[in-house]
Amino acid sequence: MDQINHQLKALRNKLNQVPALEKAEKATGIPKEYIALTASFTLLSLVFFGIGAGSLCSIVGFLYPAYKSLLAIESKSRGDDTQWLIYWVVYCFFSMIEIFTDFLLYWIPFYYAFKLAFLLWAMLPQTKGAKFLYDSFLKDFLKKNESKIDQALNDAKRTAGSIGSEIAAATAEISKAGMAAASEYASNHGGGSKKDDAKED
């Protein structure tokens, strides 16, 4: 029991640096360490059972790294730029795999809990998991397949260009047909009213 109290006291000392918890403690009368533990347990339960876990993983995997990337861009140090560029390469690679295997991942129990742990491991400066993955696997894979990737991108660009041209041509043709129909309708409608006026005279 003394050890638990000691841990709670240490946690309370760390939480003293969070002004929002100070306000919450004053408003509710509940000690801030209990508020933090309850919130953490609730959050972990939601992730563990998959309730809103996909959105939470997306937020965690994007917001903090995006903020740190902006700070890295503004700083003069090059090391943090490299770290966050590597993270984004790993994140995109992981996202691409996830798109094609989504129907399988749905059946894996506690998938989002594992995904959240993976994203935290990949992004945190203490673990530098993204750098480890890049150095041990992705770097060689991407260099080995660089020409194939460039070829696929060029093919996709050409295909997108031809599709864009076809869409533009079809749009122009539809617009032309629409204008012709509108012009014909206006001339017929205008002609009919003139005939009516002539009959009245």
Side-chain angles (χ1 to χ4, degrees):
M1 192 67 178
D2 289 339
Q3 192 173 4
I4 293 171
N5 287 332
H6 178 70
Q7 293 292 332
L8 285 172
K9 190 175 180 182
L11 177 62
R12 184 175 180 80
N13 289 335
K14 287 181 183 177
L15 295 175
N16 283 336
Q17 300 169 7
V18 184
L21 286 174
E22 287 282 341
K23 290 177 184 175
E25 183 179 37
K26 284 178 184 173
T28 60
I30 300 169
K32 66 182 87 172
E33 58 270 29
Y34 294 126
I35 294 172
L37 287 171
T38 304
S40 301
F41 177 75
T42 304
L43 191 63
L44 285 173
S45 297
L46 290 175
V47 170
F48 197 68
F49 294 110
I51 303 165
S55 301
L56 180 66
C57 285
S58 298
I59 290 167
V60 168
F62 182 79
L63 282 184
Y64 176 75
Y67 172 69
K68 294 300 280 185
S69 297
L70 288 172
L71 292 180
I73 290 167
E74 296 300 321
S75 74
K76 293 180 180 177
S77 170
R78 300 282 297 168
D80 51 359
D81 293 7
T82 305
Q83 178 193 339
W84 290 110
L85 280 171
I86 288 172
Y87 169 79
W88 288 116
V89 169
V90 170
Y91 182 80
C92 291
F93 190 77
F94 181 75
S95 297
M96 290 301 293
I97 291 171
E98 196 176 33
I99 287 168
F100 294 111
T101 58
D102 190 39
F103 64 97
L104 293 174
L105 298 174
Y106 179 77
W107 297 102
I108 297 174
F110 316 120
Y111 166 71
Y112 287 109
F114 292 124
K115 181 180 176 181
L116 184 61
F118 169 77
L119 289 172
L120 290 170
W121 174 76
M123 78 173 70
L124 290 174
Q126 294 85 349
T127 53
K128 293 188 178 176
K131 187 165 182 356
F132 170 78
L133 276 178
Y134 181 78
D135 290 339
S136 60
F137 164 69
L138 266 180
K139 186 176 177 181
D140 293 335
F141 174 79
L142 291 172
K143 283 188 175 180
K144 185 179 174 183
N145 295 294
E146 188 174 1
S147 59
K148 290 179 185 175
I149 293 168
D150 287 342
Q151 183 63 42
L153 287 172
N154 288 333
D155 290 347
K157 189 177 177 183
R158 276 197 297 273
T159 303
S162 66
I163 289 171
S165 300
E166 288 175 18
I167 290 171
T171 304
E173 195 173 324
I174 290 168
S175 298
K176 186 178 176 183
M179 290 299 289
S183 175
E184 186 179 342
Y185 175 78
S187 64
N188 288 342
H189 188 65
S193 61
K194 283 177 184 175
K195 285 176 186 175
D196 291 342
D197 290 345
K199 283 179 184 177
E200 285 174 13
D201 290 341

